Amino acid sequence: MSALGLLDPAELLRRIAERVPTDLQSNIVVIGSIASAWSFRDVSGSGSVATKDIDLLLRPAIDAITTAEIFGRQLLERGWHPRFPNGIQPGNAATPVDQLPALRLSPPDDEENWFVELLGEPQPDQSGRKVWRRFETEMGYFGLPCYRYMPVAVHSAAVSDYGLRIAKPARMALAHLLEHAKPDTTPIANLPGNPPRFAKDVGRAISLWWLAMEQSPIAAENWWLEWRESLDAIYPNAQHQQIQFAKTGLASIQNLLRESHAIALNGVLAPHGTTLKAWRRAYASLMNLVEQC
């Protein structure tokens, strides 16, 4: 933890890996801000990231519930304690699944004020943006949120030195763009002005692209190859349609670039202070890449 309260991704990954049983490591992929910070740790200013939420995606879909129950039980037995930021308590077998809380757990030594949150890989036939799946713990029932494009985000995830799999930035960015071909306009209540969800998520894709260009002069070639590989593997008969979805998702934010930039400066770009002008250039460059695909 730095003096500014930013989290060190390498240290966090090490601590989490120590608590994940070896037989479950292949079922867990780190996604989100920590995955991004780790992937860009060689970019100047990327040694830390402003987040408290460590997202762990459980896969494959067929084993996600079993993994959630085993992993959740083991962490609770080791003294990790649940967080209920929205005041929603664990339910029972009769509680509607969309009224169950996600399982968020903080380590016993909660001085650093971070927590892990469990998410699930979606079933192959999931069509809705977000589906909850029920799983049981000694405290009651929780919900495992499953987002439809997460298979894109975690495809060919890198294996870190800690044994944990880490989602790659290009694929996480593509998943964000695909998710918002029909923008999610749900307000984010804990952000100033209650911006819509898509402003944050699509903005995250732009942030990852800005960092990728800072990291490598051949970022465009690398991203193009990763995108084509993922789309060929997951949507073998609909690659062109998915690229059009990605273009639509990116276009959705063109009138909210200022708001999206402000959100990014409090997240993955917090250590960088990227200007709005540079942000707009990154947006235009990313749009060009999508169009080339």
Side-chain angles (χ1 to χ4, degrees), residues 30-83:
V30 181
I31 61 174
S33 298
I34 294 299
S36 302
W38 183 83
S39 298
F40 293 118
R41 60 195 181 281
D42 59 334
V43 176
S44 177
S46 291
S48 56
V49 65
T51 188
K52 297 180 181 180
D53 185 356
I54 317 303
D55 294 320
L56 303 180
L57 185 129
L58 311 182
R59 58 180 296 273
I62 192 172
D63 295 325
I65 297 302
T66 299
T67 301
E69 292 179 343
I70 294 173
F71 189 39
R73 182 182 69 247
Q74 292 182 349
L75 291 184
L76 288 168
E77 289 175 349
R78 295 177 184 180
W80 288 55
H81 49 276
R83 289 189 172 207

Side-chain angles (χ1 to χ4, degrees), residues 32-37 39-40 43 167-176 201-215 219 223 227 264 268-269 279 282 286:
S33 298
I34 294 299
S36 302
S39 298
F40 293 118
V43 176
K168 295 181 178 180
R171 293 179 167 105
M172 288 191 289
L174 180 57
H176 281 310
D201 290 351
V202 178
R204 174 65 60 86
I206 302 172
S207 296
L208 297 179
W209 175 238
W210 184 91
L211 286 164
M213 290 191 294
E214 291 290 302
Q215 183 182 54
W223 275 43
W227 284 5
V268 69
L269 291 185
W279 176 261
L286 184 57

Side-chain angles (χ1 to χ4, degrees), residues 51-151:
T51 188
K52 297 180 181 180
D53 185 356
I54 317 303
D55 294 320
L56 303 180
L57 185 129
L58 311 182
R59 58 180 296 273
I62 192 172
D63 295 325
I65 297 302
T66 299
T67 301
E69 292 179 343
I70 294 173
F71 189 39
R73 182 182 69 247
Q74 292 182 349
L75 291 184
L76 288 168
E77 289 175 349
R78 295 177 184 180
W80 288 55
H81 49 276
R83 289 189 172 207
F84 305 106
N86 299 318
I88 304 175
Q89 298 296 311
N92 54 45
T95 305
V97 68
D98 59 355
Q99 295 180 21
L100 295 172
L103 182 56
R104 301 176 175 95
L105 293 167
S106 294
D109 50 340
D110 192 25
E111 297 177 0
E112 294 178 318
N113 200 30
W114 58 270
F115 60 93
V116 299
E117 179 172 349
L118 303 188
L119 300 90
E121 186 174 68
Q123 299 280 15
D125 60 350
Q126 179 176 321
S127 59
R129 188 190 305 276
K130 180 181 181 181
V131 171
W132 291 85
R133 299 177 66 189
R134 182 191 313 271
F135 68 98
E136 187 176 8
T137 72
E138 63 182 22
M139 298 184 61
Y141 286 84
F142 287 83
L144 194 66
C146 304
Y147 294 88
R148 60 185 165 187
Y149 283 108
M150 276 301 157

Side-chain angles (χ1 to χ4, degrees), residues 143-172:
L144 194 66
C146 304
Y147 294 88
R148 60 185 165 187
Y149 283 108
M150 276 301 157
V152 174
V154 301
H155 183 248
S156 293
V159 180
S160 71
D161 295 339
Y162 314 99
L164 288 175
R165 296 177 184 271
I166 315 294
K168 295 181 178 180
R171 293 179 167 105
M172 288 191 289

